Amino acid sequence: MTQQTLLGLDVAGLRERLGPGVPAYRARQLYGEMYRRNVAALDESTALPKELRQQYQLGHLDVEQRFDSVDGTTRYLLKLPSDGRTVETVVMPADDRHTICVSSQVGCPVNCQFCLTALMGLERNLTAGEIVGQVLHVCRAHSLDPRTQHCNIVMMGMGEPLLNLDNVLKATAILCDDNGVGFPQRRLTVSTSGIIPKIPELGAAEVRPTLAISLNASTEEQRRELMPITRKYHLADLLEVCKAYPLRRWEYLMFEYVLLKDVNDTDADARRVVRLLANLKAKVNLIALNPGPGIPYGTPTPERVDSFQKIVMKSIPCYLRRPRGLDIYAACGQLKKMQTQDLVTLQ
Ligand code: SAH
Ligand code: SF4
């Protein structure tokens, strides 16, 4: 008997998958078992009929490798059941919250010059089930309950989420459904390199993550060099589409800015960033470059970062994002299926 995977289907999808011979309430029951109860396998769902449990598989992701950082961060290499490819998922515990960083694609087609994932190119998009599956895995493995604990999801792992927006939104609907996984909508953030035509589409979605834009440069010319996608989607147009973005009352546009030593980290850059974002309800997250092999940039000194932050902060809320899991290649821009043997040679 062939087993079909179910992860990623909503109630309507499950009803269709089960077929007309199965009573409609079974789909709702199954949905609750998969997402709300987050069972590891259908065998655990003894309330469901045996034939149903035998006929279908959830399609959970298996752990291929797990790396634990000295700072408490864990990086998973998770295997996708359909073709055996792997993606990275990172969980970062803090005193009062957990942050789960999920991937949206295997690799990434956007060629940012400071990012290790870019070196992989794009292998394929993830399905909605594979995106939800990353979160379900982490919640099970770390005993997290998004209904009672403060848990955030950031779609900032491998890949460009807005090039896979349909699946990102399908996954978001399940993650934020109170009958589903149960994350409050505000706890989700999606980060984009600036795929302009997809931004209004995201804004139109009823349930959607907070939008973060990877700015990373203070002029068009500089951004073209660091993020060649700017040649297609110009910085000025990106800021225009941001201006028109339908923010919810509580929402800010988040701008991420990777600081590269002697490239985009001067006081003049900081002042230009302030001017670029002047008319937006914005917050800025600074990230000092996390270095990697093949990345031709350096990390600025803490003093330089501090000076940059002080200038921006005078006008716009501006935070410094501390790197997590640097020792296990789990930090921003470092996700590239780094294996244990590679780690040893790098150290
Ligand atoms: N593709 C999306 C989301 C994943 S990248 C995007 O680019 O927004 C998540 C963040 O990590 C982005 O803001 C990106 O600019 C940043 N980043 C990429 N490489 C980095 C590196 N080497 N050091 C620090 N941050 C990096
Ligand atoms: Fe892709 Fe984001 Fe890395 Fe750019 S920074 S290559 S968009 S993952």
Side-chain angles (χ1 to χ4, degrees), residues 108 112 114-116 155-161 191-193 212-214 216 227 256-258 287-291 295 321 332-334:
C108 183
C112 303
F114 43 80
C115 176
L116 271 183
M155 296 180 175
M156 299 188 185
M158 283 181 165
E160 169 46 61
S191 173
T192 180
S193 56
I213 308 267
S214 296
N216 297 340
M227 302 176 72
E256 294 150 287
Y257 194 98
V258 182
I287 319 166
L289 177 81
N290 297 315
I295 301 297
R321 199 188 291 157
C332 294
Q334 293 194 309

Side-chain angles (χ1 to χ4, degrees), residues 233-248:
Y233 299 125
H234 304 178
L235 179 55
D237 297 336
L238 178 59
L239 294 169
E240 275 309 307
V241 87
C242 286
K243 214 169 280 174
Y245 190 75
L247 287 173
R248 289 156 289 188

Side-chain angles (χ1 to χ4, degrees), residues 257-261 264-265 286-289 298-300 305 308 320:
Y257 194 98
V258 182
L259 290 160
L260 310 172
K261 186 179 163 71
N264 66 356
D265 65 344
L286 300 176
I287 319 166
L289 177 81
T299 307
V305 174
F308 194 101
L320 177 62

Side-chain angles (χ1 to χ4, degrees), residues 156-211:
M156 299 188 185
M158 283 181 165
E160 169 46 61
L162 293 204
L163 291 178
N164 188 17
L165 185 57
D166 286 352
N167 288 326
V168 162
L169 288 177
K170 266 187 217 158
T172 301
I174 293 169
L175 291 169
C176 297
D177 180 5
D178 199 41
N179 294 318
V181 187
F183 274 79
Q185 213 181 144
R186 294 182 190 204
R187 300 265 156 88
L188 266 67
T189 302
V190 66
S191 173
T192 180
S193 56
I195 311 297
I196 291 177
K198 292 289 172 181
I199 291 176
E201 205 176 313
L202 174 71
E206 199 181 322
V207 180
R208 59 188 145 101
T210 299
L211 175 60

Side-chain angles (χ1 to χ4, degrees), residues 31-274:
Y31 185 86
E33 293 292 291
M34 284 163 61
Y35 302 124
R36 194 183 171 105
R37 257 192 83 205
N38 192 4
V39 294
L42 278 182
D43 276 345
E44 287 178 25
S45 305
T46 43
L48 295 170
K50 198 162 170 210
E51 315 82 73
L52 198 150
R53 284 187 267 149
Q54 283 173 343
Q55 193 179 354
Y56 298 100
Q57 248 184 1
L58 291 177
H60 276 309
L61 285 60
D62 287 326
V63 179
E64 176 126 328
Q65 271 189 297
R66 171 183 173 146
F67 306 89
D68 291 296
S69 163
V70 289
D71 70 11
T73 299
T74 300
R75 177 168 71 97
Y76 289 99
L77 206 57
L78 297 178
K79 192 162 160 183
L80 308 170
S82 67
D83 62 3
R85 289 177 200 264
T86 50
V87 283
E88 313 238 5
T89 309
V90 180
V91 53
M92 296 163 277
D95 294 344
D96 57 342
R97 72 189 58 183
H98 280 75
T99 301
I100 307 168
C101 178
V102 302
S103 296
S104 55
Q105 299 182 309
V106 186
C108 183
V110 183
N111 189 20
C112 303
Q113 300 295 295
F114 43 80
C115 176
L116 271 183
T117 309
L119 300 175
M120 287 178 65
L122 176 69
E123 292 186 20
R124 71 167 170 87
N125 277 339
L126 294 185
T127 63
E130 289 163 344
I131 298 171
V132 174
Q134 295 173 64
V135 175
L136 292 178
H137 164 74
V138 168
C139 289
R140 276 199 314 277
H142 297 258
S143 306
L144 299 178
D145 178 359
R147 289 186 173 76
T148 56
Q149 287 162 287
H150 186 154
C151 300
N152 300 312
I153 295 176
V154 293
M155 296 180 175
M156 299 188 185
M158 283 181 165
E160 169 46 61
L162 293 204
L163 291 178
N164 188 17
L165 185 57
D166 286 352
N167 288 326
V168 162
L169 288 177
K170 266 187 217 158
T172 301
I174 293 169
L175 291 169
C176 297
D177 180 5
D178 199 41
N179 294 318
V181 187
F183 274 79
Q185 213 181 144
R186 294 182 190 204
R187 300 265 156 88
L188 266 67
T189 302
V190 66
S191 173
T192 180
S193 56
I195 311 297
I196 291 177
K198 292 289 172 181
I199 291 176
E201 205 176 313
L202 174 71
E206 199 181 322
V207 180
R208 59 188 145 101
T210 299
L211 175 60
I213 308 267
S214 296
L215 181 63
N216 297 340
S218 69
T219 67
E220 169 82 18
E221 201 189 353
Q222 198 182 56
R223 199 169 191 272
R224 279 184 185 210
E225 201 162 300
L226 301 174
M227 302 176 72
I229 193 158
T230 310
R231 289 181 207 146
K232 186 166 179 191
Y233 299 125
H234 304 178
L235 179 55
D237 297 336
L238 178 59
L239 294 169
E240 275 309 307
V241 87
C242 286
K243 214 169 280 174
Y245 190 75
L247 287 173
R248 289 156 289 188
R249 250 178 311 129
W250 43 269
E251 193 175 4
Y252 286 78
L253 276 169
M254 310 298 296
F255 285 90
E256 294 150 287
Y257 194 98
V258 182
L259 290 160
L260 310 172
K261 186 179 163 71
D262 299 332
V263 175
N264 66 356
D265 65 344
T266 65
D267 289 352
D269 284 301
R271 285 191 286 271
R272 280 194 292 265
V273 166
V274 169

